[in-house]
Amino acid sequence: MESNYHTLKRTDNQLLVITHLSQLLTYATVFGGLIAPLILWVTQKEHVEGMDAHGKAILNFQISMFVYSILSIPLIFALGLGILTLILIGILVFVMPIINAIKASNGELPSYPLSINFIS
């Protein structure tokens, strides 16, 4: 017997804020800033309004910053350009989750610069 029951997604801006801020776990653990948002996204995307869009944006940003970091390593030997790139990445990885957490608390969609759309 098929059910016509559709779950309504709840609005939970606080969980969206926590999901964005969980990226800062990168500074305490190596991959915590990727794993924590991934777990929150996978477990809550069907239950929380906007979690799918926020989660995808976060994961695309985290994966993009990881790729840029790896690509920066050989650039260190090219006039120190890689060092500047790594500094920029470090600033973005710290500042953008905070900015997007504020946006999430206001019900706005996130925007992460330089993100490659790996997950759509």
Side-chain angles (χ1 to χ4, degrees):
M1 178 176 187
E2 279 189 52
S3 172
N4 289 332
Y5 176 74
H6 296 283
T7 359
L8 294 175
K9 291 184 178 183
R10 71 181 189 278
T11 301
D12 193 345
N13 288 352
Q14 289 179 337
L15 185 59
L16 296 175
V17 168
I18 290 169
T19 306
H20 285 284
L21 293 178
S22 69
Q23 295 176 82
L24 298 177
L25 287 171
T26 296
Y27 292 101
T29 63
V30 178
F31 290 107
L34 177 65
I35 300 299
L38 175 64
I39 291 169
L40 289 169
W41 173 62
V42 168
T43 60
Q44 298 299 313
K45 68 181 177 181
E46 300 297 325
H47 307 291
V48 175
E49 189 70 38
M51 179 60 83
D52 194 40
H54 286 264
K56 287 176 183 177
I58 290 168
L59 294 175
N60 284 329
F61 177 69
Q62 286 292 316
I63 295 167
S64 297
M65 293 301 111
F66 179 74
V67 169
Y68 295 141
S69 296
I70 296 300
L71 293 174
S72 295
I73 294 171
L75 292 176
I76 291 172
F77 302 108
L79 303 173
L81 187 60
I83 294 172
L84 294 175
T85 307
L86 288 172
I87 291 170
L88 176 65
I89 290 168
I91 293 169
L92 283 174
V93 168
F94 183 76
V95 172
M96 292 313 298
I98 296 169
I99 290 172
N100 283 300
I102 294 167
K103 285 184 171 186
S105 72
N106 293 328
E108 300 173 35
L109 289 175
S111 61
Y112 285 98
L114 305 174
S115 287
I116 301 168
N117 201 16
F118 292 104
I119 302 168
S120 56

